[in-house]
Each structure stands twice: as structure tokens, then as C-alpha cells.
Amino acid sequence: MSRVAYVNGRFVRHAEAAVHIEDRGYQFADGVYEVWAIAGGVLTDAEGHFARLTRSLGELKIPTPMSREALIVVLRETLRRNRIKDGLLYLQVTRGVAPRDHAFPLPAPTPALVVTAKRVDSAAAEARAAKGVAVITTPENRWGRCDIKTVGLLPNVLAKQSAREAGAAEAWFVDDLGLITEGASSNAWIIDAQGVLRTRDIQANILRGVTRNTLLRVAREAGVSVEERPFTVEEAKLAKEAFTTGAGAQVLPVVRIDGAAVGAGEPGPVARRLRRLYMEESRRTGL
Ligand SMILES: Cc1ncc(COP(=O)(O)O)c(C=O)c1O
């Protein structure tokens, strides 16, 4: 069965889906995106992703392409046409098509909306989480508004490529103070030497991960001691456990940082428990 994409009001064969060469997403990365994990047909953590999409669009002054209700119909239909039960749903909104000029075009073009979906092998994802992954660290070199989920991801692309070349799954950015900000496509967490679950506080220098947000609540409700406080690379290497969060891999244990084993060098009990609790909660609150 061939894949289908939603492009500006139409469902088209994925292989033939295209946007105009003067789409501002293509020209200037003038657009935003969202990703939902689909589990058993449920759009997990649905509300958090919709809320962040609204915020990202607002920060860039891009009009909302359609109502939430209409968008849900499009998302569901994309899943149905691609027969996805477990997978990832990708949505992108750009400012639209206009003659190339840096400032916002006048009159404002219609925002361009693209939705795609792909299947994920959940057994393979579980096996990966059960084994844990390696991360590398790399100097932070992104702009000052990482809180907006824009399609301008070149530093993230380069960092992820460095990770891949080093045999790692993710790259953690490290700021000028030696503190980890986040991963190229995930938030970063440790259980520190004192047993405190830590992740960086929310400022403009990290994405407000929807998974992060839900997991903070889930962890607190489970009685885990949690602090939103940055940590150094050294603290991460001396941590009892480490993991990443994101819609792509949910809660993913990290077992090596820059080649050094974290804790016992295998996924720790807290990360494994939080992964399970997160999975349950994100489905429960999904759509
Ligand atoms: C840079 C970055 N940080 C964090 C995340 C995790 O965000 P979420 O949990 O909302 O998927 C992502 C996800 O794509 C990301 O790209």
C-alpha cells in the first residue's frame, strides 16, 4: 500500500507530494512543526502538542491554518489512509508561498500545511530502549529561540550526524558554562549522584518538550524527587542513570556519554519505570 500525505487541502501520494519552490519554509525555514507519537491508534499527549503548535505559530506570527477540530479530522484521516496504529505523525506549517523577500510578505499568504505519517516498529523500539543508547556531547551553537519548534534545524542536523558518526544515537548540546541544554531532537535527563531526577529548567534555550512536561508530572506523582536544574557534563557522567525524552522515542535510557558508561552501563530502574509510566499516561490523556 502506498503512503499518502496531506498537502494544502489534498491527500496525495507521498511519492508525488510537493510544495512550491517559493514556499517560505523551503526558502527561509520560516515555519514550525509538531510530532505526535501514535500508540494503538491514539495520538499520545495530544493536548500538549496542540498547545505548543499554537504557541510556536504565535511566536512567528503565522496564522493558524485551520481550527483545532478541522486539524484533528486531517490528522485522523492521514492516519487512516496510511493505516497507522503505531507510528509518528508529522505536521508542518509554513508562512506560505510568496516572492522571495526576507520580511513578512504583504498581503499575508495562506499558510502551507503538510501532514505525513509513518509506521514505527514498536517491538524494535522496545528492544532499543531495553538496551539503552549512547550519546555524545557537542558545543551549543543554536540560536536564542530554541523554545520555538521551527523547521530551522541545521545545527541539530549536524549534531545528530556527529552522533551517528560516533556510533551514538543522540548529541547533547553543552552551553558556554559547561551545562547540558538538551539533545538534537530530545530533552536530556539524569538521576544525579544524590538520586535526584534532574532536567534543565525552561528558558528560551531549550524546547519545551511535551514529553518532558508530562514526565515531570508523572515522576512527581510517582514520588520521585525532581528538580528542574541544569547539570554539567561531569555530573552527567557521574550520574546513576540518564535518559532522553521526546515524542520519537518517549523515554529512552542513555547508557554511555562520550564513551563513558553511565552507572552500571545499562538502563537503570528509574528510567525503566518512568518509561512505563509515561507510556500509560500519554495514552490515557491522548486522543
Ligand atoms: C530539540 C528538541 N528538544 C526536545 C524535543 C522533545 O520534544 P517533545 O517531547 O515535545 O517531542 C525535541 C523533539 O523533537 C527536539 O527536537
Side-chain angles (χ1 to χ4, degrees):
M1 189 203 65
S2 60
R3 289 177 71 194
V4 174
Y6 175 88
V7 184
N8 293 324
R10 290 194 311 136
F11 285 98
V12 292
R13 281 164 54 95
H14 189 276
E16 285 145 26
V19 293
H20 193 275
I21 56 166
E22 283 193 307
D23 184 288
R24 289 180 61 97
Y26 178 61
Q27 295 278 352
F28 297 115
D30 188 1
V32 305
Y33 72 108
E34 266 308 326
V35 180
W36 286 261
I38 309 303
V42 173
L43 263 83
T44 64
D45 243 336
E47 174 58 33
H49 289 283
F50 283 118
R52 187 173 59 193
L53 174 63
T54 302
R55 179 175 184 277
S56 298
L57 289 169
E59 292 297 312
L60 299 189
K61 300 188 170 61
I62 296 176
T64 306
M66 59 175 71
S67 71
R68 165 91 61 102
E69 292 68 28
L71 199 51
I72 290 172
V73 171
V74 169
L75 297 181
R76 286 232 162 278
E77 186 60 13
T78 307
L79 291 177
R80 194 188 68 75
R81 291 189 185 224
N82 288 283
R83 301 196 192 158
I84 307 273
K85 283 272 174 292
D86 296 297
L88 290 172
L89 190 57
Y90 177 89
L91 171 152
Q92 175 170 320
V93 183
T94 71
R95 198 177 303 281
V97 176
R100 190 176 186 281
D101 180 19
H102 287 61
F104 296 174
L106 275 175
T110 307
L113 173 61
V114 168
V115 181
T116 58
K118 70 173 179 189
R119 218 159 267 170
V120 164
D121 177 348
S122 28
E126 274 313 317
R128 185 168 180 243
K131 202 162 156 240
V133 298
V135 303
I136 59 162
T137 59
T138 187
E140 178 65 90
N141 60 357
R142 298 174 301 160
W143 73 323
R145 291 304 309 273
C146 298
D147 58 313
I148 308 172
K149 199 166 170 70
T150 81
V151 295
L153 290 171
L154 193 50
N156 310 56
V157 166
L158 298 178
K160 196 70 115 180
Q161 179 60 21
S162 301
R164 187 156 299 170
E165 286 169 12
E170 180 60 301
W172 280 0
F173 289 112
V174 182
D175 70 14
D176 289 346
L177 301 172
L179 298 163
I180 288 162
T181 50
E182 64 178 333
S185 63
S186 59
N187 289 112
W189 304 67
I190 59 167
I191 317 289
D192 72 13
Q194 284 70 44
V196 177
L197 175 60
R198 279 164 66 185
T199 192
R200 194 169 182 124
D201 55 319
I202 285 296
Q203 312 243 352
N205 55 8
I206 67 164
L207 187 74
R208 300 163 186 215
V210 173
T211 317
R212 174 191 180 283
N213 199 37
T214 299
L215 192 68
L216 279 172
R217 178 169 56 75
V218 165
R220 287 187 177 120
E221 284 168 8
V224 177
S225 155
V226 187
E227 280 182 36
E228 291 177 70
R229 182 155 63 88
F231 48 85
T232 63
V233 176
E234 220 34 54
E235 283 179 298
K237 287 181 181 166
L238 294 173
K240 293 184 167 158
E241 298 183 33
F243 60 87
T244 67
T245 57
Q250 284 96 46
V251 178
L252 185 62
V254 169
V255 294
R256 274 194 317 282
I257 300 173
D258 290 338
V262 178
E266 55 189 44
V270 181
R272 281 190 279 124
R273 178 168 175 236
L274 290 177
R275 177 176 170 84
R276 185 173 46 75
L277 291 175
Y278 173 76
M279 301 284 216
E280 288 166 11
E281 181 64 8
S282 63
R283 281 160 187 63
R284 197 184 64 75
T285 57
L287 263 185

